[in-house]
Every structure is written in structure tokens, then in C-alpha cells.
Amino acid sequence: MHTDHRIVRLSRSFLNAGLMALTMNMSTEQKKLTQTPLLKIWVPWMGCNLNRRRGSSVPQFCNSPTVIVMVGLPARGKTYISKKLTRYLNWIGVPTKMFNVGQYRREAVKIYKNFEFFKPDNEEAMRIRKACAAAALKDVSAYFTKEQGQVAVFDATNTTRERRAVIVSLAKEKGYKVFFVESICDDPEIIAENIKQVKFGSPDYVDRDIDEAMEDFVQRIECYRASYMPIDDEKDRKLSYIKIFDVGSRYLVNQIQDHIQSRIVYYLMNIHVTPRSIYLSRHGESELNLLGRIGGDSGLSPRGLKYASALANFIRSQEITDLKVWTSHMKRTIQTAETLGVQYEQWKALNEIDAGVCEELTYEEIQENFPEEFALRDQDKYRYRYPKGESYEDLVHRLEPVIMELERQENVLVVCHQAVMRCLLAYFLDKPADELPYLRCPLHTVLKLTPIAYGCKVESYFLNIEAVNTHRERPANVSINRDPDEALQTVPDHI
Amino acid sequence: MMRGCSSRAKQNQDRAVCMTNCPTLIVTVGLPARGKTYISKKLTRYLNWIGVPTREFNVGQYRREFVKIYKSFEFFRPDNEEGLKIRRQCASAALNDVRQYLTEEGGQVAVFDATNTTRERRETIIQFAEQNGFKVFFVESVCEDPDVIQENIVQVKLGSPDYTNCNTEEAVEDFMKRIKCYENSYETLDEVLDRDLSYIKIMDVGQRYLVNRVLDHIQSRIVYYLMNIHITPRSIYLCRHGESELNVKGRIGGDSGLTPRGKEFAKKLSQFIQAQSISDLKVWTSQMKRTIQTAEALSVPYEQWKVLNEIDAGVCEEMMYEEIQDHYPLEFALRDQDKYRYRYPKGESYEDLVQRLEPVIMELERQENVLVICHQAVMRCLLAYFLDKTAEELPYLKCPLHTVLKLTPVAYGCKVESISLNVDAVNTHRERPENVNIHRTTEDALQTVPAHL
């Protein structure tokens, strides 16, 4: 279950508090605060206030579920936007799911013959397509009511007023908010590029050659064109929507209702489709890395310095135009960037996760001094917050402006840290919260991310300078009663 | 060694790396009483607060300095040659000052606040910007709702120096005629003719926006901000947690609970809030025990924000000032030298705090009635935003315990009411001492430390 990491959902936290409460002395004052062991959130000890508190646990930022409805002719980037938006919202902690009606159609009609299926006078097909849309909407409802989803992205052409009206009335009936995202584009080059990038690989065209596929798809678009009614600025003035013109050169935004719609608009206005690559790397091996100590602000080891030079050579060999370089405020990333001999920008937000009381300790020392904390961390590494420190969940929130700026930029090299890099990588590769803290981000390895089609290509370059391993896998035993050697089972070697 | 700075602007040895590469000229567009000055002032305040040096240049101001006495709307008639000449001169003078601010005084953004209702005038400005290497971003406000316009006039025009000697009816009548003078020659930003310009068109006070060609980070932030502000009347209540155990001991930071007096404050706060009869009040706290304990007494739902946590004093957490002087006299002196930018070792600076709090400000702009229960340094940052205080003043703003500040937007600014809930508490406000030299005596350093146990 996702938590908006900025806002505490008291229902989750009081589950944790409940555990604490059971072990606490019941004679304490009714409203005494306890700090939940995992999240380190102060909550009132519930006792008999249990029922009353439940009502206040709905986070204000997402009161009613929201349906984002895509609108536009085929090959206008609807699915691209849907997938990207879904990925972003999930990453910031808003449970979001995409419902692609084309997918439902492919399941209903096993084999796609040709564009004739989409002809407006094809009654049989019309029936099927309506049924698919209805099935998808039904799943949207189920997602909200049974799976605690907060946002559903309804990805279909939705090009007629009639279809959109159906969705609006369904949403009204169920108390969902609706936000339309319409993509309008008449640039033939962009459309052709779209078709090449994503349509040829589609299951619909798996047995066709390129020219056939292109021709069929163009006809398909024509089937929609006659009945296409864009959102009308006069008639639809009460609807909430954003119209995206020509891949972002212009936007029309109408009636933003709430926080989440405002964030969605901001995000959509910052993304672009210009080809570029993002390079992620950690700092070179540090002195504390060698000693198996976490956190701190040490400098590079001799091998770390070698890596910095290797990185400089690598970057030069990539011949990247207009590369921006970002580091954290910590010595080890700055030292790494200095060798590049180019301008770089420091972001405090890129600093490594704050391990609080565990800063500069080895895992062995953490086990010795804070065995319960160590176990709690293994139980839920994403949400676990170090005492007086941070959690991965906090990190993601901290990094959101970095992601937003990465979306705006083109070629960027980010020199950062293990936990930070895991968070950024999880965003680009759409990894869920439980996988994020275990993503492999070894020292002295550059990851090159290049957006393609609906996702991201990853190329990994190990620059051939040895370094310690700093990756600690989740051990088999995460119980707070485990033995020290069970706890330390997966600690990597160090001096 | 560079003492770390926020991501806004950095010095990297002798190379400045900025988020905003070349200066930006924001140009307002719109008929009178469409909120241009309101937007200009608010935007300027916001940008300065997040660390982007910004200044507004109101052409009406230049006109008032030139033409000492305003007689009537006739000055603005399109056939008033003398008037036109003066107005053109004022616009030029303002642009000159813009150039100086952006090229010689370290300004990043200049807001050129005038009607700029003709394409010709805008073209002049574009050329001016091109010659000087400035980016241009237009902000047009379009509104035909007579109620909104009337309210505008009542709120800000009646009090204007132009109308000090008129009664309300006269002023309104004259102003309406003034608007008429512009209407005929008004050329709104056009989707086709102006498609190469960067702009946002705000329609009907934020019901709808048209955004064209956002070029860079700062323009993207400006658009986001403009899309989140509103003018619905509301109040923001700021207060600190009740007095805490560490407060009475004169210790900074930490995560302690409330003293009995602190709990008393929480009760009084609850009574105060109820007495205010606020509709739909949202309550926000940090994730520290003392603010949550305070909020609990209100018996209403509240939201916890980690970013509202008090400034992290790093190695100085839970120390008394005397102990800081004892263990880190150099740090203590550096802090007094530049309290805004000074960062505690392994901790934060006020500058870091502002960056951390930016999403809170953005959400406060979106919301209506809100009570924020926070901490001294955090409250200073928020207050500085609302009251347009500089970075130098910010860390010394007085935010005593057990006092609620009620902020109500009015005209171009913010009305502040300070309400003490009459529960005694320690003073936690330490003024800047006279001697901030790193070689000062302990006595000099501790001169302004408030009393404690």
C-alpha cells in the first residue's frame, strides 16, 4: 500500500502504534504520544479513540479518486503520456494505474486484420469497442474501491463528446473527479515518428512489413478523424482539462480543481520528447566505503580518484552535446566531478540518505548498538526511517524537484550516492517501492538511460576500476529476535 | 572553502552556475484593474523568497513621479498627444532602470508592470530585451467579469495616490473611463500572431490558462506558481508548538514534549480556534512531538508534514547556546555573521529551510483557511514569505511562543494580527550580538542569549 510520504496517513501509522500500544503500560495518560517504530511518526496512543481517528485518516491531497481521461486521435502520444504520468505518480506515492482500452480490444478480438475494424459504420466492431471501454471503466471502479487506487488513467481516443459524456456521468455517480488530457498535433513528421517508434512494434502489426503497417495505420487514423470533436472551450468550460498542442509548445488549462491536478499539469508541462540521455553514477569509492561505514562526508580513496579520471575519459568518449553535470553537496561527489573539468551544479537534494544516529557506523556496529532498528529496516527498507534520519520514502520526496528538472533537461550526468541513485533509477525504470531499496548500483559503474518508445533503455558501463561492494541484500531472517550472525549474513566485505 | 549553497545559484571557484542563465524580463499585459500589479508584486515576492533576485518596475509609479498631480482620465485618452509622450517617456525610463538592475545590480528577473496592451509597445520591449540579451515572458490577465473588476477597483484603486482627493463614486467613475481609453487599442496576445512568444494568458482570475513556449526552468516555475495562486478571501494562522521541555532548558532542536504551560497553550489554542469560527480549517503540523501534541488538543484532523520540521542544528542539536560557544566558538561566530546562509555542521541553514518549505508555500497558496503549527525557524521563513522580508531580516523575525499570527491578504499585501494567548513561556529569541568577530570573548558571544533554567 502506498503512502504519500509527505503526508502521514494516520490509518497506517496507527496500525504500527497499535503494536506499540499493546506492549505499553495502559495506565499512561489517554492522549500520550508514541513514536511508531518503523516510520518514526508520533501518533496518539489510540485506545478507545480508535474509531474516531479512522475518519481523519484520509489524506487531504487525494480526497476523491481521480480519473484522468486521455483524448486524441491515434498516434498523438496518449499512451506515452499515460505511461509516463502513471510512472511519475506511483513514484511520488500516489497509487495510480493505467487502463488501455486498446489492450482490452486485443484481448476481445484475438487477431487484428486491418483498419476496417475501426470504420465508423462497422457495427459489429462498434459493439465490441463499446464493450471494451465499459469493461475498462468497470476495472477502474474496482481499482478504486477494492485496491485503494487513487488515480486511474483511462487511455483511449475518447474523441467523441458522447463517449466523454458517458465517462463524466459515471464518474459523477461514483464521486470520482475527472481530468481530461487532450493531445492535439497535426505535424506529419511527429505523427510518422510516433507510428515508427511504437506502432510497428505493436501486436497489431507483428506480421506486417513496415510500409503495409504504415498505410494501414494512416487509414485507421482517418476512421476517427470525421467524428473527432476536440474538447470545446465554450461548451466544455465546466470540465477540468489540459490541452497539449504540438508536443508541448502550447497548453490550454481549464478549471484545475485540486492539488493532484495541479501537480499533473506541472509535470505534463515539463516533459518533452527530444532525444537525450541521462547518465547516473555514484561518486568514486570513498574512504568510508573502504571501511564498510555508511554515510558521512569523506573523500575519495586512491581507487576512487582513479575512477574520477576514468569517468572523465568515458564522458569525453561519449561526445555528448551540451552535457549538464550535477553533484550533491558532499565531498565525494564533488571530488569526482572536479576531475571532469567542466562546470557542474551542486544540489543539496542529491545528498545521500541521512542515517541519523547510525551515520558513519558499520553494519556490525549498527547490529550491536541498535539491533531492533536493524531488524525493522530489513522488514521494510523503503519506509524505515533511521532515528533522527531519513527513510527511502523521505528521499523520494526530497528528490522530486531533481526528477522534475531532469525531465526538463536534455543530456545530464548525475554524480550521486547509492540510495539516491536507487531512487532515481526506480523512477526511470518504473520499479515499485519494495524493489527500490535493493536495486543494484555498484561503485565505478555508469548507467546510461535513453528514453525509447514507452520506456527507457539502460546501458551499464563498468569503468574497470576495482571497488568494494556496498550492496547489502535482504537477509533471510528479519525478525527482531534474530541472532547477530543472521542479521549480518549479507553484509559485504570491508576492512 | 565554499560553505555549501542551495541549488539556485552557485559559485564554482570563479564560475557561476545558475539555474537561470540569462536574465528574464517578465512583461505584464492587460487592461487596468485586471490584477497586473497584484500579480507582479506577488510574483516578485515569491521569486525573491526562493532566492531569485527580482524587482518590479511599475510604470504607473514613474508616471506619478513625473506628473505630480493626477487630474482625470483625460490624461489617458488616446488622442492626448502630451499624455502619450509622457507615458512613452516613463516606459523608457522604467526600461532603462530594468537594464541597470539586470546587468549591473545582479538582478535575475525584472517584472515590467504596465498595460502593454498594444502589439507595438510589446514589440518595442521585445527588441529592447533582444539587444540586452534578456529572455522575455509575457503574463496577460484577461477578465470581463464586472464583479471582479469592481472589487479590484474598490480594493486597490480607491486607495491609490491618484484618487486621494476624490470620493468613492467619483473615483470609480473616473477609473471606468480610464479603462475605456485603453479598450479600443487593446490587442490581446494572439494564438497565431504571437505564437513565437513565451507567455501565459490568465483568464477570469485563474479559471483558464493558455501557456505558450515555456523556455526554461524559471518560466516553468513562474507558470506553476501563477496557476496555484487565487484571490478567494481566507486567513492563514501561524503559531509555534506550545513551550517544550527543551525550550525551558534553553536547549535548541531535539524532539521533546510539551511542558505544563505548553499544554495550557494547546488548550487555549483550541478555544481560540473555536472562537474564530473558521470554515473548513486545515491544520498542519511537523512530524515532531511538540507540534503534534499541540495539534492533538484541537481535536480536529491534522496533517503532518516532515518538511515543517525545525531547522536541523546538526552537531549542535539539543545544546544550549552556552555549550555551543564552549564547543564550537568559531561556528557560533560564523552564524552571527550571516545567520541566513550559515549551515550547522551536519545540519541546515535558513537558506536550506526556505528550499525545503517551498512546497508548503505552494500548497498554502492553493488552500484557503489553514493553521500551521510549526517551529521558530520554520515560522520565520514562512512569515518572511508573506510579509516580504529580506534574507537579512528573516532569521531575526520575532516569533514568540504562545502567540498566534493571523495573516489575511489585503490589497497588495498581508494584514498581520498578533494574538497572544496569555500563557507565559520562555523567550527563545536571540538577537544578533554586537560583536560577531571570531575572536570575541565568551561574554560578548553570549550577550543576547535569553534566560533559561
Side-chain angles (χ1 to χ4, degrees):
Chain A
M1 182 171 151
H2 289 257
T3 310
D4 182 335
H5 39 79
R6 280 190 300 177
I7 306 303
V8 173
R9 267 208 226 171
L10 292 179
S11 61
R12 294 199 73 243
S13 51
F14 85 65
L15 283 179
N16 288 329
L19 286 169
M20 279 287 279
L22 287 174
T23 57
M24 273 183 72
N25 192 336
M26 297 258 301
S27 68
T28 46
E29 177 189 17
Q30 191 94 330
K31 285 194 177 177
K32 195 170 174 80
L33 290 184
T34 59
Q35 194 175 45
T36 62
L38 193 95
L39 298 176
K40 307 293 187 302
I41 304 282
W42 289 101
V43 290
W45 178 65
M46 292 308 157
C48 63
N49 287 337
L50 208 77
N51 290 326
R52 179 161 68 87
R53 268 295 158 211
R54 201 159 266 157
S56 69
S57 64
V58 177
Q60 88 191 59
F61 284 13
C62 256
N63 291 339
S64 17
T66 303
V67 184
I68 299 175
V69 182
M70 303 302 302
V71 181
L73 293 173
R76 263 56 176 180
K78 299 184 300 299
T79 302
Y80 174 82
I81 290 170
S82 300
K83 285 187 186 261
K84 218 169 147 70
L85 192 52
T86 301
R87 177 163 57 89
Y88 168 71
L89 291 172
N90 278 312
W91 187 75
I92 62 170
V94 180
T96 305
K97 191 170 177 187
M98 196 188 135
F99 298 84
N100 176 280
V101 177
Q103 204 80 324
Y104 286 73
R105 188 260 306 157
R106 273 184 280 274
E107 266 152 52
V109 183
K110 303 292 174 205
I111 312 227
Y112 172 74
K113 289 212 198 82
N114 60 32
F115 77 93
E116 307 249 343
F117 181 84
F118 292 97
K119 283 178 72 165
D121 55 4
N122 184 340
E123 292 201 14
E124 171 77 15
M126 273 297 183
R127 249 199 321 270
I128 295 174
R129 290 159 69 196
K130 266 200 197 107
C132 288
L137 283 173
K138 203 153 159 260
D139 286 352
V140 164
S141 280
Y143 177 62
F144 288 149
T145 50
K146 298 189 191 128
E147 294 175 54
Q148 280 131 347
Q150 277 174 26
V151 178
V153 184
F154 190 67
D155 178 22
T157 49
N158 297 314
T159 38
T160 61
R161 299 181 60 74
E162 184 206 344
R163 170 60 55 83
R164 298 195 291 266
V166 163
I167 300 170
V168 170
S169 72
L170 178 91
K172 191 166 173 191
E173 190 190 305
K174 307 221 165 182
Y176 307 153
K177 288 184 178 168
V178 181
F179 187 73
F180 292 96
V181 177
E182 182 169 22
S183 173
I184 296 170
C185 180
D186 290 310
D187 183 332
E189 275 177 41
I190 296 178
I191 296 166
E193 183 61 26
N194 256 2
I195 299 177
K196 263 192 232 125
Q197 278 237 2
V198 298
K199 302 302 180 188
F200 295 156
S202 149
D204 291 345
Y205 294 109
V206 89
D207 298 319
R208 303 304 149 83
D209 76 20
I210 293 189
D211 293 320
E212 260 181 62
M214 176 66 93
E215 222 204 278
D216 184 86
F217 201 83
V218 170
Q219 300 273 58
R220 204 154 123 177
I221 299 178
E222 287 313 304
C223 293
Y224 284 88
R225 205 186 283 278
S227 61
Y228 179 24
M229 307 236 45
I231 296 176
D232 188 288
D233 295 331
E234 277 313 304
K235 297 192 207 140
D236 296 318
R237 64 179 339 130
K238 293 235 162 67
L239 298 182
S240 298
Y241 62 85
I242 178 172
K243 279 194 196 179
I244 305 171
F245 296 92
D246 298 317
V247 203
S249 88
R250 193 163 88 247
Y251 305 91
L252 183 72
V253 180
N254 197 62
Q255 302 280 8
I256 301 179
Q257 292 171 50
D258 61 14
H259 175 87
I260 197 72
Q261 289 179 17
S262 161
R263 292 286 288 279
I264 289 166
V265 164
Y266 184 41
Y267 182 72
L268 292 178
M269 285 175 45
N270 280 317
I271 61 180
H272 66 77
V273 295
T274 310
R276 50 79 171 255
S277 289
I278 295 169
Y279 297 78
L280 301 181
S281 158
R282 290 169 68 186
H283 52 82
E285 182 191 67
S286 74
E287 302 287 358
L288 286 180
N289 284 148
L290 279 176
L291 298 171
R293 295 184 173 283
I294 65 172
D297 195 11
S298 58
L300 300 182
S301 69
R303 297 195 296 196
L305 286 167
K306 281 214 191 81
Y307 173 70
S309 299
L311 182 62
N313 288 332
F314 171 76
I315 291 297
R316 262 191 293 275
S317 72
Q318 288 275 305
E319 290 183 348
I320 309 152
T321 43
D322 245 338
L323 179 71
K324 298 265 159 53
V325 179
W326 298 350
T327 69
S328 70
H329 275 194
M330 296 180 139
K331 186 174 178 184
R332 50 200 188 277
T333 57
I334 295 169
Q335 255 187 298
T336 308
E338 275 290 319
T339 339
L340 300 174
V342 297
Q343 276 184 350
Y344 58 90
E345 197 169 335
Q346 298 180 21
W347 290 71
K348 186 170 195 276
L350 284 172
N351 279 5
E352 181 59 314
I353 191 171
D354 183 356
V357 300
C358 298
E359 276 286 317
E360 301 196 41
L361 297 185
T362 60
Y363 289 119
E364 291 84 351
E365 286 165 354
I366 299 176
Q367 168 59 26
E368 201 185 308
N369 294 297
F370 308 101
E372 190 181 311
E373 293 292 329
F374 202 37
L376 285 173
R377 185 158 207 255
D378 284 336
Q379 287 176 18
D380 191 347
K381 196 174 176 190
Y382 183 72
R383 282 169 204 82
Y384 170 82
R385 188 184 278 170
Y386 282 106
K388 304 194 177 178
E390 294 177 301
S391 63
Y392 271 93
E393 196 171 23
D394 295 328
L395 246 198
V396 161
H397 166 59
R398 212 204 313 135
L399 287 168
E400 201 263 347
V402 176
I403 287 296
M404 197 62 88
E405 191 55 23
L406 275 173
E407 286 294 347
R408 291 198 53 79
Q409 291 289 343
E410 292 181 21
N411 294 315
V412 186
L413 163 66
V414 184
V415 181
C416 54
H417 305 267
Q418 182 166 250
V420 168
M421 188 160 157
R422 285 170 170 155
C423 292
L424 299 178
L425 198 57
Y427 167 75
F428 288 109
L429 302 187
D430 203 15
K431 298 294 183 187
D434 49 352
E435 288 179 53
L436 186 160
Y438 296 101
L439 292 175
R440 280 188 186 283
C441 295
L443 288 164
H444 299 186
T445 307
V446 184
L447 290 184
K448 178 179 178 181
L449 305 167
T450 312
I452 39 142
Y454 295 137
C456 222
K457 179 173 81 174
V458 195
E459 292 163 270
S460 172
Y461 298 90
F462 172 60
L463 300 194
N464 269 321
I465 314 272
E466 290 304 315
V468 291
N469 170 29
T470 58
H471 185 96
R472 179 176 166 269
E473 283 293 0
R474 190 181 197 260
N477 191 345
V478 300
S479 156
I480 55 177
N481 299 316
R482 63 191 176 175
D483 297 327
D485 38 78
E486 283 175 304
L488 300 173
Q489 182 200 7
T490 54
V491 172
D493 296 327
H494 57 87
I495 301 174
Chain B
M1 152 106 187
M2 172 177 50
R3 231 15 208 353
C5 35
S6 68
S7 70
R8 299 296 151 237
K10 263 158 258 338
Q11 247 76 35
N12 189 2
Q13 291 159 358
D14 52 5
R15 300 169 292 198
V17 181
C18 282
M19 276 297 206
T20 49
N21 296 338
C22 48
T24 302
L25 177 58
I26 298 175
V27 181
T28 63
V29 180
L31 293 173
R34 263 56 176 183
K36 299 183 300 299
T37 301
Y38 175 82
I39 289 169
S40 299
K41 285 184 185 274
K42 217 169 149 74
L43 192 52
T44 300
R45 176 161 58 88
Y46 168 70
L47 291 172
N48 277 313
W49 188 75
I50 62 170
V52 180
T54 306
R55 190 183 292 172
E56 45 145 348
F57 297 83
N58 177 281
V59 176
Q61 202 83 326
Y62 285 72
R63 188 259 305 157
R64 272 186 279 276
E65 274 163 34
F66 201 84
V67 184
K68 302 294 173 202
I69 314 232
Y70 173 74
K71 291 215 196 78
S72 77
F73 76 94
E74 309 253 353
F75 179 82
F76 291 98
R77 286 178 59 160
D79 56 2
N80 182 342
E81 297 270 354
E82 177 71 19
L84 280 172
K85 208 170 97 190
I86 293 172
R87 288 156 70 194
R88 252 184 233 125
Q89 275 173 353
C90 290
S92 286
L95 283 178
N96 228 345
D97 287 351
V98 163
R99 182 203 345 256
Q100 186 160 331
Y101 176 65
L102 295 179
T103 52
E104 291 161 37
E105 293 175 30
Q108 267 303 329
V109 178
V111 183
F112 188 68
D113 178 20
T115 49
N116 297 317
T117 39
T118 62
R119 191 156 280 118
E120 183 202 346
R121 169 59 57 84
R122 297 195 291 266
E123 192 49 50
T124 310
I125 299 170
I126 292 168
Q127 282 178 24
F128 161 82
E130 242 158 65
Q131 277 161 16
N132 288 288
F134 306 151
K135 283 183 180 166
V136 183
F137 188 74
F138 292 96
V139 177
E140 181 172 19
S141 174
V142 176
C143 180
E144 292 313 318
D145 184 337
D147 289 336
V148 173
I149 296 166
Q150 179 79 358
E151 183 61 25
N152 256 5
I153 296 177
V154 166
Q155 277 237 3
V156 296
K157 302 301 179 187
L158 300 183
S160 149
D162 291 344
Y163 295 110
T164 32
N165 296 321
C166 302
N167 70 39
T168 301
E169 267 144 34
E170 279 171 21
V172 172
E173 214 195 294
D174 183 87
F175 201 83
M176 294 302 237
K177 294 203 182 122
R178 203 154 121 176
I179 298 177
K180 278 252 166 293
C181 293
Y182 286 88
E183 266 170 18
N184 284 336
S185 59
Y186 181 19
E187 296 168 287
T188 182
L189 286 171
D190 185 88
E191 265 174 45
V192 178
L193 294 173
D194 298 311
R195 64 174 166 278
D196 289 330
L197 300 182
S198 296
Y199 65 84
I200 177 170
K201 193 187 278 212
I202 304 169
M203 296 171 262
D204 297 316
V205 203
Q207 295 295 303
R208 176 181 295 188
Y209 306 91
L210 188 70
V211 179
N212 199 63
R213 294 203 186 272
V214 170
L215 291 181
D216 61 15
H217 174 87
I218 196 73
Q219 290 180 15
S220 160
R221 293 287 288 279
I222 288 166
V223 164
Y224 185 41
Y225 181 72
L226 292 177
M227 285 174 42
N228 280 317
I229 61 180
H230 68 77
I231 55 169
T232 310
R234 51 78 174 253
S235 290
I236 295 168
Y237 298 79
L238 300 181
C239 76
R240 290 167 67 187
H241 51 82
E243 182 190 67
S244 76
E245 303 285 359
L246 286 180
N247 283 149
V248 294
K249 294 184 186 145
R251 293 183 176 282
I252 65 172
D255 195 12
S256 59
L258 301 181
T259 63
R261 296 196 298 196
K263 290 179 185 158
E264 181 65 31
F265 167 72
K267 272 205 211 107
K268 290 267 174 72
L269 182 64
S270 176
Q271 290 162 4
F272 170 75
I273 290 299
Q274 272 166 34
Q276 288 272 308
S277 295
I278 308 154
S279 60
D280 245 330
L281 178 72
K282 299 265 162 45
V283 179
W284 297 351
T285 69
S286 69
Q287 284 188 349
M288 297 181 136
K289 187 174 179 183
R290 50 199 188 278
T291 58
I292 295 167
Q293 256 187 297
T294 309
E296 275 292 314
L298 302 177
S299 296
V300 296
Y302 59 90
E303 302 274 3
Q304 298 181 20
W305 290 72
K306 186 173 194 275
V307 291
L308 283 174
N309 281 5
E310 182 56 316
I311 192 171
D312 184 354
V315 299
C316 298
E317 275 287 315
E318 301 198 39
M319 286 189 171
M320 298 185 289
Y321 289 118
E322 292 84 346
E323 288 167 352
I324 301 177
Q325 168 61 20
D326 203 18
H327 292 103
Y328 307 101
L330 173 63
E331 295 293 327
F332 202 37
L334 287 173
R335 184 158 207 252
D336 284 335
Q337 287 178 16
D338 189 350
K339 196 175 176 190
Y340 183 72
R341 278 164 209 88
Y342 169 83
R343 188 183 281 167
Y344 281 105
K346 302 193 177 178
E348 295 178 299
S349 63
Y350 271 92
E351 193 171 26
D352 294 330
L353 247 197
V354 161
Q355 186 153 325
R356 197 185 352 118
L357 288 169
E358 201 264 350
V360 175
I361 288 295
M362 197 62 86
E363 191 56 25
L364 277 172
E365 286 294 346
R366 290 197 53 79
Q367 292 288 342
E368 292 184 19
N369 294 316
V370 186
L371 163 66
V372 185
I373 303 172
C374 55
H375 305 266
Q376 185 168 249
V378 169
M379 189 163 157
R380 284 169 171 157
C381 292
L382 298 179
L383 198 57
Y385 167 75
F386 288 109
L387 302 186
D388 202 16
K389 299 295 183 186
T390 61
E392 283 61 51
E393 295 172 90
L394 187 161
Y396 296 102
L397 293 175
K398 284 201 189 286
C399 294
L401 287 165
H402 299 184
T403 307
V404 182
L405 290 185
K406 178 178 177 182
L407 304 166
T408 311
V410 95
Y412 293 139
C414 223
K415 178 172 83 167
V416 195
E417 293 163 78
S418 172
I419 304 126
S420 161
L421 296 195
N422 278 322
V423 179
D424 281 337
V426 292
N427 171 28
T428 57
H429 186 94
R430 179 176 166 268
E431 283 293 0
R432 190 181 197 261
E434 275 170 47
N435 191 345
V436 300
N437 191 287
I438 58 177
H439 300 299
R440 64 191 177 176
T441 61
T442 298
E443 211 189 306
D444 279 351
L446 299 175
Q447 182 201 6
T448 55
V449 171
H452 58 87
L453 288 173

